[in-house]
Amino acid sequence: MNLDEIKASETKLLLPTYERNPIFFVGGENVYLIAEDGQRYLDLLSGIGVNALGYGHPAIVNTIAEQSRKLIHISNLYFHEGQAQLALKLTAASGLDRAFFCNSGTEAWEAALKLARAHAGLKRSEGQHIGTKFLALENSFHGRTMGAVATTHKEKYREPFAPVMPDVEFVRFNDVDCLKDKFSQDVCAVLIEVIQGEGGIRPVSQEFFATARELTESTGALLICDEIQAGLGRTGKWFSYQHYGIQPDVTTLAKPIAGGLPLGVMLCTEEAARAIHPGMHGTTFGGGPLACAVAMSVIHTIEQEHLLKHVTDIGNYFKDRLSELAKKHPAILDVRGLGLMLAIELDSADLAKQAVAEMLKRRILINRTSETVLRFLPPYILQQAHIDETIDALDEIFCDNAPHTAASSPTGAKANG
Ligand SMILES: *Cc1c(COP(=O)(O)O)cnc(C)c1O
């Protein structure tokens, strides 16, 4: 089938959940996706933060080949070696005690929500007063299943499916007083995406995060951090909460962990895990031998290739170059993020939309989130030359779209202020 035929069939046959870009990819190599016409696209989005090692990394390709010959799936009724090995790595990296494996981000988040409710129930049975309410943050995104959408702030994700899970209240982002006002013994967990991804690459403030930690500690409620986008090295540390020196009770991982295969993880403390006994929660596919083996090889590769340090260094370079660009182009209002989770906020949604389209014409993949924000979630193996190419392309686009085009040029000095 060619692109037109695929498009026509999809339009007729698929649930219309996506507006896809009109490119048809057939391969990938390193940080590039390869379209059916042979054109290579520099991928600064990596399948929405998934393809951390890029495309065709030998560690992933070989592990999939070897493990798929041995064993792909057995269910959670029997033992295989993958879950224990991976749990050992992830508990050591996170500072948490126990792991639950599932298949996606939203499922990891559901597990965390269920754990919080079960934990509060256990505490009540032990005579402590602790309620069932969740405090989530404005602009948060936690996934698409019924529990996860209930804790996701944007109404467009929740309202069509109402009534969603009750007992969720939203706290204004980084508003410490609002958090203090809404927190009480009725709360079973405070939910924090440490660096909001879909919400526009917005890091939580140290004070807000520390306050959430103090409040939850004071009642025995859980502090739950969603690291599905920011975790597993994307910010230069295994978990983005480690930049703050704050330890949550529960965290979730998914996107980059298994080299593009679906795998989600919830990690928690021994204390929280007390609430779970066999049969309470589970999954057919979660934590299968293939996904676990690939996750182990992703983690080994991050260690062996010193990618946490590389993400930090190359991320700093990228952010510095974006900041230079922001000084030159007044349309760039802000530069945000850590490591290779970066964004620039523009002064108009139209310009942001146009910039994504113009980048696509130059065969560079980025996306727009939160209307006015251009987001960069490239593979961890990105190199300086890719960043230079990206900055040049953005510079050209902002020059072409500047209000006083005549006074600006791609190579010109500071823009007319
Ligand atoms: C992507 C994402 C999710 C949902 O993950 P899925 O695998 O799409 O279900 C949840 N939380 C955050 C922060 C995410 O970025």
Side-chain angles (χ1 to χ4, degrees), residues 48 103-109 141-145 148 152 193 195-198 226-230 252 254-255 263 341 375:
I48 319 187
N103 310 287
S104 65
T106 199
E107 268 183 75
W109 194 246
F141 179 87
H142 298 297
R144 308 286 197 156
T145 48
T152 289
E193 210 186 326
I195 301 176
Q196 293 188 330
E198 306 303 306
D226 184 341
E227 293 271 346
I228 290 166
Q229 193 163 138
T252 52
K255 289 186 164 91
L263 180 68
M341 183 174 185
R375 176 169 58 168

Side-chain angles (χ1 to χ4, degrees), residues 201-217:
I201 314 293
R202 289 172 212 279
V204 74
S205 73
Q206 182 76 36
E207 191 193 359
F208 188 92
F209 199 5
T211 306
R213 182 63 284 183
E214 279 162 31
L215 291 170
T216 46
E217 229 152 44

Side-chain angles (χ1 to χ4, degrees), residues 69-84:
R69 277 195 291 265
K70 283 192 225 160
L71 199 56
I72 295 175
H73 173 80
I74 55 164
S75 88
N76 281 297
L77 299 178
Y78 308 101
F79 291 98
H80 64 84
E81 64 183 356
Q83 290 194 14

